[in-house]
Amino acid sequence: MSTEPQEPAARLPLPLRAAETTPERPWPVRHLAPKIADYIARMPPVWVEGQVLNLKRWNTMYFLTLRDTDLDMSLSVTAPAGAIRRLGDAAADGAHVVVHASPRFHAKKGDLTFQADDVRLVGLGELLARIEHLKGVLAAEGLFDAARKRPLPFLPAVVGLVCAQQGDAEHDVVSNARARWPGVRFEIRRVTVQGPRAVPEVSAAIADLDADPRVEVVVVARGGGSFEDLLPFSNETLVRAAAACRTPLVSAIGHHMDSPLLDLVADFRASTPTDAAKRVVPDVSEERARVLQLRHRSRGALVHRLTREQAGLDHWRSRPVLANPTALVDGHEARVHVLRDAARRALHTELVHGRAEVAGLAAQVRALSPAATLERGYAVVQRADGRVVRDPVDVDPGDRLRVRVAQGEIAAEVVAP
């Protein structure tokens, strides 16, 4: 086999368009990168709104990250020192700005940055106008209606708490709640409560606690702050996440001057995290005192009722009709006995008289009865058909007769004379 170097194959021309590239005919990076740079360079300047992060100066230029106020998205921006100096003391991380910038693609590193020529702060008035507009939209949807607010549970076993990773809000809620009711338990979600990460993290924490069947009430707590710091709690995404929470929700942002929209959509607004702790659990000492008070009141009411009923019972028992219940019927009983005896005597007399009368009538009947005549020796002669024989011509010889005497009957037969 020959080991001599061979001549390279003739290189094919590069495709003119991206759609014509293939694994066998690709574009090299040196060919693609300038095309991307030329394409981006044709894009016009744009005004972009966001929040300043990682602001650094290098010679006459400032480098910063412009992050979206709602989602975790960001752009790299460079700006001349003069544009940043016009912001004064507000030029710091967390500033809410709008930037007029043009996109630039650095072909060497493949980085996309925006070169700014104007940087302006978003005015407080404009932010307030946006919040007021959103407030009107949400109110029209009924998210602030009192009818949709749910009552807080009297004694939740588990309280969900959304608070800062570092801060006093967690301590204020937990310590005050456990001082009031030592048995209460907490499910805590520590999140970022200001800046661009606040909205997604707080919203996710609310949804997570709402999905936990053990959690009976959710508290979103923050220890106050400036108007700009509290802007996430007026964000539409976060407010709608709170409205969708099926578990009773307490807003404890702690800002008295301007109420964030979260306060309006929450089921209960607490002025401070400490106030939230007092609202979500009862005070055990107060409840014990209330139980003792109710026990004393119940005992007093029961004793009063028993005393009143005993007095009424004594009053009725002292009445003659209850002292001698038979008094009303004793006289009637005696009268009944008298009438009964009289009735018996009258009945006996009537029976005696009736018996004598019956005996007399019986004697008369016997005296007038044919049987009495028979007793004297007479007889009644009857033919076989039952007819009484009164004349000898009524019978013929050979006829059979019945002769009835006092003590019975005698059969006879007629014979010729």
Side-chain angles (χ1 to χ4, degrees):
M1 179 179 294
S2 174
T3 58
E4 295 182 1
Q6 298 180 355
E7 291 293 331
R11 186 178 298 273
L12 297 175
L14 295 177
L16 297 178
R17 292 180 299 179
E20 297 175 354
T21 59
T22 64
E24 293 76 18
R25 299 178 62 198
W27 276 353
V29 173
R30 63 180 180 274
H31 186 78
L32 176 60
K35 288 183 177 292
I36 296 176
D38 292 342
Y39 179 81
I40 292 178
R42 291 196 296 270
M43 294 178 60
V46 62
W47 286 98
V48 185
E49 179 181 356
Q51 194 170 28
V52 175
L53 293 178
N54 302 323
L55 181 64
K56 298 178 181 179
R57 181 174 181 176
W58 178 258
N59 294 331
T60 60
M61 297 295 293
Y62 275 90
F63 299 88
L64 61 97
T65 299
L66 189 65
R67 176 163 295 192
D68 187 83
T69 56
D70 294 342
L71 301 179
D72 190 12
M73 297 181 181
S74 59
L75 298 172
S76 296
V77 178
T78 60
I84 299 298
R85 280 197 299 266
R86 287 196 293 270
L87 304 181
D89 296 337
D93 285 356
H96 196 168
V97 299
V98 290
V99 175
H100 187 259
S102 299
R104 294 288 185 271
F105 182 76
H106 300 277
K108 185 175 181 179
K109 294 184 178 181
D111 295 336
L112 177 66
T113 61
F114 281 78
Q115 185 173 346
D117 53 26
D118 193 358
V119 181
R120 302 179 186 181
L121 290 173
V122 176
L124 181 60
E126 183 179 354
L127 292 176
L128 287 173
R130 294 181 185 179
I131 293 176
E132 284 300 318
H133 174 72
L134 178 59
K135 180 179 178 181
V137 172
L138 298 179
E141 295 181 14
L143 296 188
F144 304 151
D145 291 349
R148 67 178 301 277
K149 296 187 183 297
R150 292 148 297 191
L152 302 183
F154 170 70
L155 182 58
V158 179
V159 176
L161 177 60
V162 181
C163 59
Q165 297 179 357
Q166 294 180 348
D168 297 330
E170 178 181 347
H171 176 268
D172 292 345
V173 174
V174 174
S175 61
N176 284 281
R178 286 179 175 164
R180 293 170 62 84
W181 198 272
V184 66
R185 293 181 290 125
F186 283 88
E187 277 293 322
I188 301 176
R189 300 294 183 269
R190 298 176 181 86
V191 297
T192 303
V193 295
Q194 71 181 60
R197 295 171 53 191
V199 172
E201 291 188 13
V202 174
S203 300
I206 292 175
D208 185 33
L209 293 174
D210 185 36
D212 191 336
R214 299 172 302 161
V215 176
E216 299 179 47
V217 62
V218 176
V219 178
V220 180
R222 176 190 164 91
S226 65
F227 174 78
E228 290 79 4
D229 292 339
L230 301 182
L231 283 177
F233 297 97
S234 292
N235 181 273
E236 181 177 2
T237 301
L238 193 150
V239 172
R240 290 190 181 278
C245 181
R246 295 167 297 178
T247 307
L249 187 139
V250 177
S251 174
I253 306 305
H255 196 269
H256 300 282
M257 300 301 295
D258 302 295
S259 295
L261 297 185
L262 180 64
D263 288 349
L264 302 179
V265 78
D267 297 297
F268 183 83
R269 176 189 179 276
S271 57
T272 61
T274 300
D275 182 45
K278 295 179 180 179
R279 299 291 183 173
V280 296
V281 293
D283 190 335
V284 64
S285 59
E286 293 180 0
E287 296 304 317
R288 286 175 178 170
R290 187 175 291 110
V291 169
L292 291 176
Q293 181 185 13
L294 292 175
R295 182 184 297 170
H296 292 323
R297 290 175 59 184
S298 300
R299 182 182 293 112
L302 182 59
V303 170
H304 175 72
R305 181 65 179 270
L306 290 175
T307 303
R308 186 182 65 182
E309 296 299 327
Q310 184 64 49
L313 184 61
D314 293 340
H315 169 72
W316 288 109
R317 290 179 61 187
S318 66
R319 304 285 292 179
V321 68
L322 292 180
N324 185 13
T326 63
L328 292 177
V329 298
D330 286 344
H332 296 288
E333 182 184 17
R335 180 173 175 79
V336 168
H337 290 168
V338 171
L339 293 175
R340 182 192 64 187
D341 295 340
R344 285 177 177 175
R345 290 192 300 270
L347 179 61
H348 178 72
T349 300
E350 291 295 328
L351 289 175
V352 171
H353 291 168
R355 187 179 295 112
E357 185 176 358
V358 168
L361 293 174
Q364 293 179 10
V365 169
R366 282 194 301 272
L368 298 176
S369 173
T373 303
L374 296 177
E375 287 289 343
R376 293 198 298 271
Y378 293 92
V380 178
V381 180
Q382 293 176 303
R383 294 171 56 180
D385 58 3
R387 294 177 60 186
V388 177
V389 178
R390 292 181 177 86
D391 193 325
V393 298
D394 292 337
V395 297
D396 296 321
D399 288 344
R400 299 189 68 83
L401 300 176
R402 289 189 309 164
V403 181
R404 185 176 179 183
V405 294
Q407 302 300 322
E409 292 182 356
I410 300 173
E413 182 178 351
V414 178
V415 296

